[in-house]
Amino acid sequence: MGSKIVDISVIVRRIACQLLLCLAPVLAFAKTQVQGVRVWPAAEKTRLVFDLSAPAQHRVFTLTKPHRIVIDLANTRLAQPLPNRRFNSDLLRGLRSADKNNGILRVVLDLTHAARPKSFLLKPYKKHGHRLVIDLTPTEIKKPPQKLVKPAKPTKEVASVNREKLRDVVIAIDAGHGGEDPGAIGPQGTQEKKVVLAIARELARLVEREPGMHPIMIRNGDYYVGLRERINEARQHKADLFISIHADAFTHPKARGASVYVLSEKGASSEAARYLAKKENESDLIGGVSLNDKGDLLAQVLLDLSQTSTREASLGTAAAILAGLGKVSQVHNRNVQHAGFAVLKSPDVPSVLVETAFISNPHEERKLRSRHHQRRLAKAMMDGVRRYFYSNPLPGTLLARRRHIISRGDTLSEVAQHYDVNLNQLRLVNGLEGDRIKEGEILLIP
Ligand SMILES: [Zn+2]
């Protein structure tokens, strides 16, 4: 899992930036060296990491015609020439550098199209030293093709409804770790970040195929995304569910099976305190409501309401996902687990964290690497998600409309035929063992 450790590094990073401002005059005497540059290209974001001998004051700005990004590092020089190979990136064409006479090292990134830069310094962590990270987000993101929702046959129930206004349920899928943070590592050297991304992609593919649902990939390449950033991304997309996918590690190689986590009560109350403390200076919306114009007590009540309903939905989906996983693999914990994982702290997006298996267990490590097993895990999670949202349909979503009230003489196969759905799926989403249905019962139509 390892997310807690990384969360601390975020705090450390913040402190590091503040410290840096105070230390700047002292640092002016020493010349910082750039010891290497690494590039992590991906469609959504290209990350460059400069390995530094010490923290460096820097500024970043963009130039156009042609598109470039300039990074000036104070009192810095290159320890070795910059790599001048191809970076396998659609965005980054090349790297150049120049020593300015005032001790500034200027690095120029040649781009194929416009991108927004974001920079931050990282303190030494594990085998890495001081680093300057530059994230480049293309400003003209190629939008994925609009999802086609398979039109259902018009029925008495749905004919009068204006289908345009019904929305998809949005599922944010978060592959844990990434980039410099490999996550847990199996005895054969399998990296958690890689297998969880493969599982996440499988799950996204299944969600995409599901009528009335739409996936958002929080990480879709080999780069690190901060834990708060993951939460913010899900909230910006107004996700109805956030699933963080991981693969556990334990000192005991025999530990095995899946676990599903939701935020603990303690984690929720510390997060509430954080929101209430900063509510005066931030116009963040909680469940569509702004807290910063509310009195303390009202803000607290609103936040509490939002967190309570989020927690209920988190628990509901977590239980459904755990049940799904139990059908395809061993379950490590029979009950939903509670923990203070930072990535689960959205006050208004139901969030679950799935430890798909123990990567530290040689047998499970092997399974995690197999495409077949990755698909089975994704399918099991999809089954849980589907079951939850069909049993708890969100108002205003397409799924909420797909219901059939059984009249006298209806048979299950006729209903399936009428809505053009698979009979097995119809049984599955309604939890039916056989084909017996009762008049007046409501069937959920997948
Ligand atoms: Zn993990």
Side-chain angles (χ1 to χ4, degrees):
M1 156 77 214
S3 297
K4 270 185 184 165
I5 298 168
V6 181
D7 195 34
I8 292 166
S9 89
V10 172
I11 298 162
V12 169
R13 192 185 299 161
R14 243 177 249 142
I15 297 168
C17 292
Q18 282 161 8
L19 267 181
L20 190 65
L21 294 175
C22 322
L23 291 179
V26 183
L27 291 172
F29 295 105
K31 196 119 177 163
T32 303
Q33 289 192 358
V34 176
Q35 292 155 330
V37 183
R38 285 164 289 143
V39 178
W40 306 90
E44 293 80 13
K45 182 158 76 178
T46 292
R47 169 165 291 186
L48 284 91
V49 181
F50 292 83
D51 291 305
L52 306 175
S53 61
Q57 274 194 308
H58 69 279
R59 64 174 188 143
V60 179
F61 57 94
T62 54
L63 295 172
T64 52
K65 295 178 190 173
H67 293 294
R68 279 154 297 162
I69 286 173
V70 179
I71 307 153
D72 281 345
L73 294 122
N75 269 298
T76 303
R77 63 182 184 85
L78 288 174
Q80 53 189 344
L82 292 171
N84 65 349
R85 56 183 170 82
R86 295 188 141 269
F87 296 104
N88 190 24
S89 159
D90 291 341
L91 179 66
L92 184 64
R93 281 198 295 120
L95 283 176
R96 298 179 276 137
S97 72
D99 285 313
K100 312 285 279 181
N101 47 15
N102 43 7
I104 290 175
L105 172 68
R106 172 162 290 185
V107 177
V108 180
L109 315 180
D110 291 307
L111 307 182
T112 48
H113 49 265
R116 200 175 53 245
K118 202 171 103 184
S119 70
F120 53 91
L121 287 160
L122 289 176
K123 269 200 153 183
Y125 178 66
K126 289 190 178 168
K127 65 185 165 98
H128 297 290
H130 291 280
R131 285 149 293 162
L132 169 65
V133 179
I134 312 283
D135 279 339
L136 307 174
T137 311
T139 43
E140 314 129 44
I141 293 173
K142 278 173 245 153
K143 286 219 169 114
Q146 271 290 315
K147 184 186 175 188
L148 291 172
V149 175
K150 203 162 75 180
K153 280 185 191 167
T155 69
K156 268 177 268 171
E157 276 179 288
V158 297
S160 61
V161 176
N162 181 0
R163 298 186 69 89
E164 296 299 295
K165 282 185 182 165
L166 298 176
R167 67 173 183 89
D168 283 344
V169 166
V170 177
I171 311 289
I173 302 166
D174 173 47
H177 312 278
E180 299 196 333
D181 170 17
I185 295 174
Q188 298 281 330
T190 310
Q191 295 181 320
E192 180 184 354
K193 67 172 182 178
K194 286 190 183 154
V195 290
V196 298
L197 180 60
I199 298 168
R201 283 181 172 151
E202 282 297 330
L203 179 58
R205 202 174 55 84
L206 296 176
V207 172
E208 184 70 54
R209 274 182 9 193
E210 193 76 14
M213 287 196 192
H214 182 68
I216 301 290
M217 285 287 278
I218 301 291
R219 167 168 90 81
N220 200 2
D222 190 12
Y223 49 82
Y224 184 72
V225 183
L227 299 177
R228 288 278 165 199
E229 231 181 299
R230 294 179 197 239
I231 295 179
N232 291 342
E233 192 79 13
R235 297 186 67 214
Q236 270 165 23
H237 282 97
K238 297 191 169 34
D240 298 295
L241 175 67
F242 174 89
I243 307 180
S244 192
I245 303 176
H246 289 256
D248 240 334
F250 194 61
T251 43
H252 201 294
K254 283 194 175 160
R256 61 178 182 170
S259 311
V260 182
Y261 288 85
V262 296
L263 185 62
S264 62
E265 205 127 11
K266 202 173 153 206
S269 60
S270 74
E271 186 64 4
R274 201 184 79 96
Y275 263 99
L276 294 171
K278 64 168 196 171
K279 82 176 174 73
E280 298 300 335
N281 45 34
E282 283 199 25
S283 55
D284 197 3
L285 297 181
I286 305 296
V289 181
S290 166
L291 294 185
N292 71 346
D293 55 349
K294 310 286 188 295
D296 286 351
L297 187 63
L298 180 55
Q300 198 165 349
V301 169
L302 289 172
L303 185 57
D304 191 51
L305 276 175
S306 177
Q307 281 188 313
T308 304
S309 68
T310 300
R311 221 171 119 69
E312 271 167 24
S314 303
L315 271 167
T317 20
I321 290 174
L322 190 61
L325 285 168
K327 288 184 184 152
V328 301
S329 68
Q330 189 96 15
V331 167
H332 186 66
N333 291 299
R334 293 177 140 276
N335 300 314
V336 172
Q337 303 296 297
H338 301 254
F341 297 141
V343 82
L344 297 176
K345 287 187 172 175
S346 275
D348 48 6
V349 178
S351 303
V352 302
L353 186 145
V354 179
E355 295 280 8
T356 47
F358 278 86
I359 202 168
S360 49
N361 175 317
H363 177 65
E364 295 206 329
E365 178 190 27
R366 217 167 25 246
K367 278 169 82 178
L368 279 171
R369 293 167 77 114
S370 114
R371 190 71 186 262
H372 174 69
H373 192 67
Q374 291 169 355
R375 285 201 174 137
R376 272 163 58 100
L377 288 168
K379 195 179 160 300
M381 287 189 260
M382 183 70 235
D383 287 349
V385 169
R386 186 194 295 118
R387 180 162 294 188
Y388 177 80
F389 282 103
Y390 274 100
S391 321
N392 303 274
L394 295 169
T397 63
L398 250 156
L399 293 186
R401 289 291 169 199
R402 301 267 291 171
R403 298 171 142 224
H404 175 89
I405 301 167
I406 296 170
S407 5
R408 189 187 296 265
D410 276 355
T411 68
L412 199 61
S413 62
E414 274 171 13
V415 175
Q417 233 170 35
H418 181 75
Y419 289 93
D420 194 20
V421 296
N422 180 296
L423 185 59
N424 275 331
Q425 260 203 329
L426 189 60
R427 287 197 197 103
L428 186 78
V429 299
N430 290 286
L432 295 172
E433 296 286 326
D435 286 357
R436 189 174 297 197
I437 46 177
K438 274 193 287 209
E439 190 183 339
E441 227 174 12
I442 295 173
L443 279 182
L444 307 165
I445 308 300

